[in-house]
Amino acid sequence: MPAESDDRSDAPPPTPPPTDLLERLVSLGKQRGFFFPSSEIYGGINALYDYGPLGTRLRRNIRNRWWRSIVELRDDIVGIETSIIMNPQVWVASGHVAGFSDPLVDCAGDCRRRWRADHLPAERAARGKEPDAPGCPECGGTLTAPRQFNLMFRTFLGAVEDSSAQVYLRPETAQGMFVDFKSVLNSSRQRIPFGIAQNGKSFRNEISPGNSIFRTREFEMMELEFFCEPGTDDHWFEHWRAERFRWYLEELGVRRPFLRLRDHEKDELAHYAKAATDVEYLYPFGWGELEGIANRTDFDLSAHQRASGVDLSYLDPMTGSSFLPYVIEPSVGVDRIMLTVLIDAFDEEVVRGERRVVLRLHPDVAPVQVAVLPLSKKEELTVPARGLEHRLRPHFATDYDETQSIGRRYRRQDEIGTPYCVTIDFESLEDQQVTVRDRDSTEQTRLPIEDLVPRLLGRFDI
Ligand code: ATP
């Protein structure tokens, strides 16, 4: 697995995407079924989203790609699935009950909005104001003093709603992997260094969610806890820092100038972290965290060992020595990756005098990979076109469309990022050939039907 990648570039920073891009994506997302507000017929609910047919496919492809590179293509990482609700002692020991909070301030002026104190400068800047100006970013009103607000959602387990039955919805998937460390170790024949990975829903009662699906209150995380011997942790931190950066460039096709690694300053590090780096993307609202990579040391295992009384140390069978492993953690949200690839792929251009919106999605994550379009609605063409679509279906995510003009159908497929359109025309009935149109170049190639599957497969890594 290549771990080196060029993460430091001397190239000048790119122009950020236009500020209205997010709005346009939200509208495209709703119109084409990528994502829309949850419970919309009841007016929606703040910072919770549903994913439509195309969004669901895109998310699944992103998740599968992560799982494949982290778990399936490696023999030193295993995947697990842990419960969303855990024994509440887990969250006491991990420090979340006492400390998983953000500083909250309220506007006492006209707008009465609630803000995260550490987000105030960015919120002011986003509204064209001086970042360090006093007062509310929205209305300039007086702000209250910051107070800590715990982000964990609470509920009750069982029929009695008292404090002894109180439990939490997990705010991250990581703790499930720490508390299962021994069970996985004992059942999987893994030896240090090795990793445990999982993906699943997490919940945070964010004070200031926003920027569409960038910060929501229910989201899906993909996390890896990589356990290694103390002393080798710096090496593994560097490995994962480089590898995760490479993944975005090569496996999702994110444009290099819009991606950077930002190392945390000492005073910015979480109390449990020895080092941390964010993979950042240049969003329409500025550089923002896409993924976090942290050296969590033995903080979590030692906290759970102390609180549970269970020995979580690792006995090295070769040397006979026993130690608590250090942990390197790359952690990211599926929703945030989805927003990032949509922003990164969005393009508008004029081709032969006609304006088109095109999502230049990486072919391997595109929700539709091959669309079959008969040139006419006559049965003579629609019957073989449907037959062809069925032949392609086991290999690719396909779509079939016979409505409206071929030009409009191409535009529709461009807008959802379909890399290839296959057109059947009357000549196809004679020469058994079809036309394959490339989304990015709009170039058209004539191919024998028999060659279609192998030729297209050669362009994907699926
Ligand atoms: P912040 O300080 O921005 O609130 P954080 O640094 O505490 O977030 P982490 O705990 O490092 O966030 O989260 C790891 C990853 O999970 C993030 O990089 C992001 O991809 C994703 N993530 C975290 N919170 C949210 C959220 N509210 N909505 C969507 N994705 C999220």
Side-chain angles (χ1 to χ4, degrees):
M1 179 70 56
E4 298 308 319
S5 65
D6 167 30
D7 58 299
R8 292 178 186 88
S9 161
D10 296 330
T15 316
T19 44
D20 70 345
L21 178 57
L22 197 58
E23 242 171 76
R24 298 178 61 192
L25 260 184
V26 167
S27 139
L28 178 79
K30 185 164 157 51
Q31 206 187 342
R32 307 310 310 273
F34 281 99
F35 60 95
F36 26 77
S38 161
S39 338
E40 213 178 359
I41 60 167
Y42 290 101
I45 175 166
N46 199 355
L48 295 166
Y49 287 85
D50 291 344
Y51 295 96
L54 292 183
T56 301
R57 279 184 173 188
L58 177 57
R59 284 162 62 79
R60 218 164 262 269
N61 292 345
I62 291 169
R63 196 188 293 129
N64 289 350
R65 225 149 162 78
W66 180 87
W67 189 260
R68 192 172 90 128
S69 88
I70 295 280
V71 179
E72 285 171 6
L73 294 181
R74 301 185 61 119
D75 56 11
D76 58 350
I77 299 178
V78 290
I80 65 170
E81 293 183 13
T82 67
S83 61
I84 287 175
I85 296 174
M86 303 173 74
N87 187 315
Q89 289 307 314
V90 169
W91 305 107
V92 176
S94 67
H96 284 79
V97 169
F100 190 62
S101 51
D102 282 333
L104 174 151
V105 293
D106 285 310
C107 170
D110 292 339
C111 77
R112 305 264 150 187
R113 276 190 63 167
R114 188 158 266 193
W115 306 94
R116 228 173 99 169
D118 55 328
H119 284 180
L120 287 171
E123 297 283 5
R124 290 189 191 105
R127 288 165 180 76
K129 297 181 177 165
E130 196 48 46
D132 297 325
C136 171
E138 187 75 25
C139 70
T142 312
L143 295 172
T144 60
R147 60 198 157 87
Q148 289 300 320
F149 173 78
N150 195 297
L151 303 185
M152 283 198 293
F153 282 99
R154 275 161 266 207
T155 187
F156 298 96
L157 195 74
V160 186
E161 295 195 357
D162 66 16
S163 58
S164 67
Q166 188 182 282
V167 291
Y168 303 93
L169 300 190
R170 68 180 176 198
E172 60 177 36
T173 67
Q175 297 305 322
M177 297 184 272
F178 295 129
V179 301
D180 282 358
F181 169 68
K182 262 288 157 82
S183 303
V184 174
L185 188 65
N186 293 338
S187 59
S188 67
R189 300 191 321 275
Q190 288 290 341
R191 295 279 167 257
I192 296 275
F194 83 101
I196 306 179
Q198 79 166 319
N199 73 277
K201 290 273 188 170
S202 295
F203 304 82
R204 296 183 187 181
N205 200 2
E206 297 278 2
I207 297 167
S208 54
N211 288 324
S212 175
I213 54 171
F214 180 83
R215 190 181 299 281
T216 57
R217 292 190 166 121
E218 172 180 333
F219 54 101
E220 183 174 335
M221 295 185 95
M222 304 192 292
E223 297 192 288
L224 162 67
E225 309 305 323
F226 195 83
F227 300 90
C228 61
E229 188 170 355
T232 65
D233 51 310
D234 292 341
H235 159 79
W236 284 111
F237 180 72
E238 279 305 316
H239 170 88
W240 285 109
R241 191 177 171 283
E243 166 54 17
R244 294 303 301 147
F245 195 74
R246 182 202 68 79
W247 188 77
Y248 288 104
L249 296 178
E250 291 177 19
E251 301 202 27
L252 291 190
V254 176
R255 292 169 301 164
R256 170 68 187 83
F258 289 79
L259 207 61
R260 73 178 185 193
L261 286 169
R262 190 182 67 78
D263 296 328
H264 285 210
E265 301 292 339
K266 280 270 168 293
D267 60 356
E268 194 191 344
L269 283 177
H271 62 282
Y272 53 77
K274 179 175 160 189
T277 298
D278 289 343
V279 180
E280 291 192 335
Y281 184 81
L282 185 54
Y283 295 97
F285 43 88
W287 287 100
E289 175 182 334
L290 167 57
E291 167 161 346
I293 301 150
N295 179 343
R296 297 181 71 114
T297 68
D298 61 0
F299 175 83
D300 305 272
L301 286 182
S302 87
H304 288 303
Q305 176 167 276
R306 221 171 19 251
S308 66
V310 175
D311 177 11
L312 295 179
S313 61
Y314 174 76
L315 177 65
D316 189 327
M318 308 303 276
T319 62
S321 70
S322 167
F323 57 87
L324 269 184
Y326 270 30
V327 172
I328 311 301
E329 177 195 75
S331 161
V332 65
V334 178
D335 319 73
R336 201 168 285 185
I337 299 183
M338 173 174 170
L339 182 69
T340 308
V341 298
L342 286 174
I343 289 173
D344 200 65
F346 191 93
D347 195 10
E348 210 173 346
E349 65 177 7
V350 176
V351 181
R352 288 181 283 283
E354 247 192 85
R355 188 188 141 271
R356 71 163 183 163
V357 166
V358 53
L359 282 187
R360 300 189 193 279
L361 290 171
H362 192 291
D364 295 329
V365 294
V368 175
Q369 293 170 319
V370 184
V372 177
L373 318 172
L375 207 61
S376 134
K377 265 188 178 170
K378 292 208 168 94
E379 261 187 28
E380 245 176 303
L381 292 189
T382 58
V383 170
R386 281 202 182 273
L388 182 60
E389 196 247 342
H390 279 274
R391 272 170 71 179
L392 295 172
R393 204 170 258 263
H395 308 282
F396 312 100
T398 57
D399 191 13
Y400 172 86
D401 187 4
E402 59 179 39
T403 59
Q404 298 186 314
S405 75
I406 189 71
R408 290 189 78 152
R409 280 181 275 163
Y410 281 152
R411 294 295 97 87
R412 261 205 305 268
Q413 296 297 334
D414 288 344
E415 218 176 63
I416 62 168
T418 307
Y420 301 105
C421 289
V422 176
T423 317
I424 285 212
D425 53 30
F426 290 102
E427 239 180 281
S428 309
L429 305 177
E430 308 294 320
D431 65 5
Q432 298 301 305
Q433 299 208 1
V434 287
T435 305
V436 178
R437 174 188 178 269
D438 181 286
R439 173 196 68 198
D440 296 334
S441 65
T442 72
E443 236 164 63
Q444 305 195 1
T445 322
R446 200 86 183 147
L447 273 186
I449 293 177
E450 276 319 299
D451 294 353
L452 195 58
V453 169
R455 288 285 285 275
L456 284 174
L457 274 177
R459 303 192 191 184
F460 291 96
D461 174 29
I462 44 182

